[in-house]
Amino acid sequence: MNNDSQNSIPIIPVSDVPSRPLNEDNEIFQNSKDGVNMGPSNRNKKSVAVKKLEKRIIRLTAQAITDFGMIEDGDRVMVAMSGGKDSFVLLDALRTLQKRAPIKFDLVAVNVDQHIPNFPREALEQYFKDIGVEYHIEDQDTYSIIQRLIPEGRNVCSLCARLRRGILYRVAGEMKCNKIALGHHFDDAVETFLLSLVYEGRISCFQPVTHMTRTGVDQIRPMLYAGEGRIANLAKALALPIVENP
């Protein structure tokens, strides 16, 4: 791919390395006894640390988008928002790139409310409103289906994900989105590769871009180059309203 193309997002190539979790004992992240950050110098240090981390993830995201031609001029990209740290950080990175890129593309954050008990729908909806992103919450009671089909105590994640994915494909068509951005990262790719190798005896992994022939929609994974450690650190530093898995 020619990175000098007018339809590419300009980036400076970088390489990713494993990152260590944030040290909560570091003075950058400590608060005073009254709960207020300790002095202007520490607030500045925290600001610099967070900005550096965010910039790193944005650059890695731009690198993957450019390398694999994930987003083009005129695209309407659905960001699949599960409410986990990966989807929140992905949305943050794509919104930043949307403002900087020489191409025009739309973003719409989409969450599927599957009626899982204690799911904080209102908090998620308020977050979308606060940041000013176009959003849609699709109301689909798949939880009752899962309860009916899966015996108590068994892992429901696989069926839950399949049902959610099918709903996202349908909603993408209804909302005129030609791309669905997923929050898979480098660690997910490695894990998928190893599981396939160990349990199936074959070398396989998900693709950066997958064209779904039945729907005409492309699945894209813009955070493929970013490690989970950095993503988790940024989500914590930005105090994103992460939805915990049930």
Side-chain angles (χ1 to χ4, degrees):
M1 175 176 292
N2 181 3
N3 287 346
D4 292 330
S5 169
Q6 290 296 318
N7 291 335
S8 296
I9 296 177
I11 48 85
I12 301 174
V14 293
S15 59
D16 198 14
V17 294
S19 63
R20 293 175 293 178
L22 290 176
N23 180 4
E24 295 183 25
D25 295 327
N26 190 303
E27 64 175 4
I28 295 176
F29 302 98
Q30 287 181 348
N31 293 331
S32 64
K33 292 182 180 179
D34 61 1
V36 179
N37 289 331
M38 297 186 298
S41 61
N42 284 333
R43 286 200 298 270
N44 290 338
K45 288 180 183 178
K46 179 178 179 180
S47 177
V48 170
V50 172
K51 286 181 179 178
K52 183 177 180 180
L53 180 59
E54 188 170 26
K55 181 178 179 180
R56 179 81 172 177
I57 290 178
I58 289 169
R59 291 174 68 189
L60 290 169
T61 302
Q63 178 85 59
I65 290 173
T66 300
D67 286 351
F68 299 103
M70 294 184 183
I71 299 178
E72 299 172 318
D73 192 49
D75 280 345
R76 182 167 168 80
V77 182
M78 170 192 290
V79 184
M81 295 294 299
S82 66
K85 66 183 187 310
D86 304 328
S87 59
F88 271 111
V89 172
L90 173 61
L91 180 61
D92 179 75
L94 290 179
R95 290 181 67 242
T96 299
L97 292 174
Q98 183 186 40
K99 297 171 185 176
R100 299 177 181 176
I103 60 174
K104 300 294 184 182
F105 62 94
D106 295 327
L107 294 174
V108 53
V110 174
N111 169 262
V112 179
D113 183 355
Q114 298 176 271
H115 290 205
I116 296 173
N118 301 317
F119 179 75
R121 172 171 175 159
E122 293 78 12
L124 188 62
E125 189 168 10
Q126 187 60 53
Y127 176 78
F128 294 149
K129 291 178 180 178
D130 289 344
I131 65 174
V133 67
E134 181 183 352
Y135 73 93
H136 172 73
I137 297 182
E138 181 71 11
D139 192 282
Q140 290 286 327
D141 183 9
T142 62
Y143 182 73
S144 60
I145 298 174
I146 294 170
Q147 293 292 96
R148 187 174 69 251
L149 296 179
I150 305 295
E152 186 175 353
R154 297 284 298 274
N155 190 299
V156 302
C157 294
S158 178
L159 177 58
C160 183
R162 288 202 303 271
L163 292 172
R164 182 171 61 246
R165 194 157 48 239
I167 294 168
L168 288 174
Y169 293 152
R170 173 180 59 78
V171 174
E174 292 174 355
M175 302 195 69
K176 309 300 182 184
C177 296
N178 63 320
K179 304 279 177 73
I180 300 178
L182 304 176
H184 295 135
H185 46 65
F186 181 80
D187 297 61
D188 290 325
V190 172
E191 181 179 345
T192 301
F193 172 82
L194 291 176
L195 287 173
S196 178
L197 187 64
V198 172
Y199 291 101
E200 300 178 7
R202 63 191 181 97
I203 296 176
S204 178
C205 186
F206 53 69
Q207 298 297 310
V209 179
T210 304
H211 180 69
M212 313 305 294
T213 55
R214 291 178 59 185
T215 62
V217 174
D218 288 345
Q219 281 186 2
I220 62 175
R221 297 174 169 89
M223 292 201 303
L224 187 60
Y225 290 162
E228 184 176 19
R230 286 195 173 92
I231 293 170
N233 288 347
L234 182 60
K236 183 175 183 179
L238 295 178
L240 297 173
I242 306 303
V243 177
E244 299 295 335
N245 289 327

